[in-house]
Each structure stands twice: as structure tokens, then as C-alpha cells.
Amino acid sequence: MAAQRTYALVVGAKEERINLRVDGETKRLLESASEVAGDTVSSFVLGAATTAARELLADRTGFRLDEEQWRAFDTALSREPRDVPGLAELMRTPTLLDENP
């Protein structure tokens, strides 16, 4: 079993800590990537994690619409779904991002 390392990430006004345990291979990967980015491992990991968290939560944030915009939005949501030529086939086609294309 590979030795694990602990990293402390400092967030916000540097009042809070997040500790991560990683194996040697992951540590080397993060060190290499942070070096290429010209950043520390902590800043690199924090930046990547923050970006991923924002992207993951983006569709759950609120937005405001005036009454006319809301009606247009509600009308669009109420429309019957339609077939988009080729979309079903596209969604079934494996991509480079799939584990086992």
C-alpha cells in the first residue's frame, strides 16, 4: 500500500482548513500540475476544487425574472418536447470521456 500524505488547504480569509490524504502518485501529479500552472499545490488544488464546486452547483443557483420574462420562460417549459434529428443517436454514441467507449 502506498504511503499517504496529508495536505492542508486554507480557504477564505485563511481561517479554515481542509486536510486531504493522498497517495504518492496523486501527490506527484498535483505537484507537476501546480508547477506547470506556476502555483503552489495548495492553491492549485483549491482553485480546481472551487471551480468544480461552482460548476456542479451552477444549475442550483437562483435567478430573477420580471413578470414578462417569467411568462416567456414558463411558456417555453410548457411546450411539448420535440425530436431533434440525430440527437438520440448522438447521446448513445460513446465519447473519449466515457470509461469504456
Side-chain angles (χ1 to χ4, degrees):
M1 184 167 145
Q4 297 205 345
R5 307 268 192 282
T6 300
Y7 287 98
L9 298 182
V10 184
V11 297
K14 298 188 178 185
E15 297 171 356
E16 302 290 332
R17 287 190 168 277
I18 298 174
N19 295 311
L20 300 172
R21 294 183 63 80
V22 299
D23 59 45
E25 183 179 346
T26 301
K27 179 187 178 209
R28 287 186 293 281
L29 175 66
L30 294 173
E31 287 172 338
S32 294
S34 63
E35 186 177 330
V36 169
D39 213 345
T40 66
V41 172
S42 292
S43 293
F44 178 80
V45 171
L46 180 59
T50 301
T51 298
R54 286 187 177 132
E55 289 174 0
L56 180 67
L57 297 174
D59 66 337
R60 297 170 190 216
T61 58
F63 58 95
R64 295 178 185 256
L65 302 174
D66 63 30
E67 192 151 336
E68 182 181 339
Q69 292 170 323
W70 174 256
R71 278 194 296 269
F73 179 69
D74 190 49
T75 298
L77 289 177
S78 300
R79 289 188 193 126
E80 287 294 318
R82 61 184 177 89
D83 287 331
V84 176
L87 182 59
E89 181 181 346
L90 176 64
M91 298 305 292
R92 285 190 302 269
T93 303
T95 71
L96 294 173
L97 301 176
D98 293 320
E99 269 188 47
N100 299 311

